[in-house]
Structure formats: structure tokens, C-alpha cells
Amino acid sequence: MTAITLRKGAPGAQILGLGAYRPRRRVTNDELSTMMDTNDEWIQTRVGIAERRWASEDETLVEMAVAAGGKALAASGLAPEDVDLVIVASASLTAPIPGIGPQVAHRLGIPRPGAFDLNAGCAGFCYSLGLASDAIRSGDARNVLVVGVERLTDVTDLADRTTAVIFADGAGAAVVGASEEPGIGPAVWGSDGDQYNAIEIAAGRSTMTMAGQAVYRWATTKLTETLFEALDRAGVTAADIDVFAPHQANLRIVESMAKKLGLTEDTVIARDIVQSGNTSAASIPLALTALQESGEAKSGDLVLVLGYGAGLTFAGQVLRLP
């Protein structure tokens, strides 16, 4: 029997460029208080959000993904024809067929790439980065465009303040390419399916429900070990981390994780949720782009990320900023 030959000397993978798109409309807590029984103090005390972005009718998933993906491509210095795989992570597609991956690739002028959608809830971007890195290292792809995009307002009940004050819209993207030195650490991923319906759109419903306290307890008690494992598998320690950018689900969760990690005072901690709300699969690339644009994070910084959400799925990685 002839053996399958695997690629020898496979490269590592790194992020070459980041991009983001934030919807035009800002919605403050005070504006929400005119729509439902809530107020700024109640929201900021519980989840740390001051405002969020809601997409208008013309800011579709495809439009936002194309905008973020185009910026990431420009930042990477690559041409569209250099990309041969497109992964779009989203949990808010209201029309499952066709997927938007091929549409995004076509709009960006990427000729005949592999293209697909991935739904791992709020962990979708990290799952996609892991797949992109593996595809490059195995030789299945040269360069990969990863996009996290959400219109969570399409699946949020605005009469339910437990979810309506949290979820928002936006898109973030990364171009991943080969490198001599690995710039994306191993993905430490998994799921706790015994709580699969803690966040769900139940059959026959069009809007999402969330067992907020259950998700909060899970995130603050079960996921720190994933962060330490991601550090260990990347061969670094918490003291080596320049930026901590977990999924922007709840500012209290972010702060709890940072404390348990024992990060140094010099570590930059992403708090993009304050202005952006919870944008699910888009939250990590949105946060990283914001930190770079503000100058708080710089090229070469070592970043610890963690995505977690519906499923309950989770994935942690160590990255180096482009």
C-alpha cells in the first residue's frame, strides 16, 4: 500500500493583518432606558457596557464582513489572489443556505477559494484561527482570511432586557499566512455540552435566550484552566503576555479572569465591551483592532485570547500581533 506523503518542513502561521467594521449607529444605555425597564447604572454595574453598535438595514452580514475583510487584506499587504481559503465565523445567520463565506470571497475579488461558514458561538473566531493555522501548516492553504461577523440584533428580543442590553453588531477580520516562527499557538478548545442550551434559539423561536447567571458561573469558574493550558502549550507564562483579549461578553468576567491569571500591571487588558457590547464571534478581532489603532497594543505584542459561548464552546490561544 502506498503511503500518503505529508508536507515536510511545514511552516508556522501568523496573523499578517487585522481589520474591523463597526456599524454607524451608537446606542447608549440612556437610549435603551427609553425602550425598556433599565438604566445606565443597572447595565454598567452588571455587565460594564456603556454603549453598543446596532447595524442598519444596509449593514448586512455580508457588507460588514466584506468591509472588515478588505481592511485586513489591505493591512496584510496581500492581494486577493494570494488568499485561497476564507472562513466566516457567525452565530447570527438567519438564512443558512447559501453560506456567506463564498459571497464574502467573491465580493473581495478572491478567485475560487475554499470558503465556508463556522458556528461555534462566541468562540467562532478562535476556532477559525485554529483551523486557519492548521490549514497553512499542513499545506492545504497559503493564506487564509478569517472573519467574525454578527448581527445579533436580528436574533435579540428587544423586550428582554437580560439580552437586549448586552448583544450588538459588528465585524472583525484577520489574514493568516505562513511564517518561519509560529505566531499562533495551539488552540486549546472544547465544549461543555451538558449546558448546551444555556444560550439558544429554541426550535420555533426567532430570538435568543440566555441563562445569564449559569453562563457567568461557568465562565468565571471553569475557563481559567483553559487559559493556563493555552499558555503552557505555547511555551510561555502569564508574565510574558503583553495583551489579554478574551471574548468581550461581560466586563466583570474579563476582570475576574485577569485577576486569576495574575497578570502584571503592564499587561494591556481589552475592555472593548464598554463601547461595543457583546459582538460574539466578532468581539476579539474588534478588540484587537481597537487596541492597535489606539496605540495601546503594538506590532509583535504577545496576546492571550479566549473565546467562549453557545454550546457551551470555548477556545484559548496565544497570538503575536502583526
Side-chain angles (χ1 to χ4, degrees), residues 77-147:
L78 298 181
E81 54 267 26
D82 294 325
V83 175
D84 42 24
L85 179 60
V86 176
I87 306 172
V88 177
S90 183
S92 54
L93 276 68
T94 54
I97 297 175
I100 68 171
Q103 300 175 62
V104 171
H106 174 70
R107 288 281 304 278
L108 288 170
I110 301 172
R112 305 191 70 196
F116 63 93
D117 302 345
L118 181 149
N119 182 359
C122 303
F125 183 77
C126 290
Y127 268 63
S128 298
L129 275 186
L131 293 177
S133 175
D134 289 347
I136 290 167
R137 292 189 299 106
S138 70
D140 288 341
R142 297 170 302 155
N143 299 293
V144 184
L145 172 64
V146 174
V147 183

Side-chain angles (χ1 to χ4, degrees), residues 144-209:
V144 184
L145 172 64
V146 174
V147 183
V149 59
E150 304 286 8
R151 274 183 57 114
L152 293 174
T153 51
D154 286 342
V155 293
T156 300
D157 180 359
L158 295 184
D160 176 12
R161 72 171 183 172
T162 63
T163 55
V165 303
I166 298 172
F167 294 114
D169 307 328
V175 173
V176 181
S179 64
E180 292 184 5
E181 294 293 329
I184 300 176
V188 178
W189 48 24
S191 62
D192 286 322
D194 58 322
Q195 299 185 75
Y196 74 93
N197 59 351
I199 307 169
E200 70 170 346
I201 300 176
R205 289 182 56 93
S206 60
T207 56
M208 181 167 40
T209 59

Side-chain angles (χ1 to χ4, degrees), residues 49-80:
I49 299 171
E51 63 180 44
R52 72 285 294 145
R53 300 293 186 97
W54 286 2
S56 301
E57 186 175 350
D58 63 316
E59 294 171 307
T60 65
L61 285 170
V62 171
E63 293 293 339
M64 293 192 292
V66 167
K71 291 178 181 178
L73 264 176
S76 74
L78 298 181

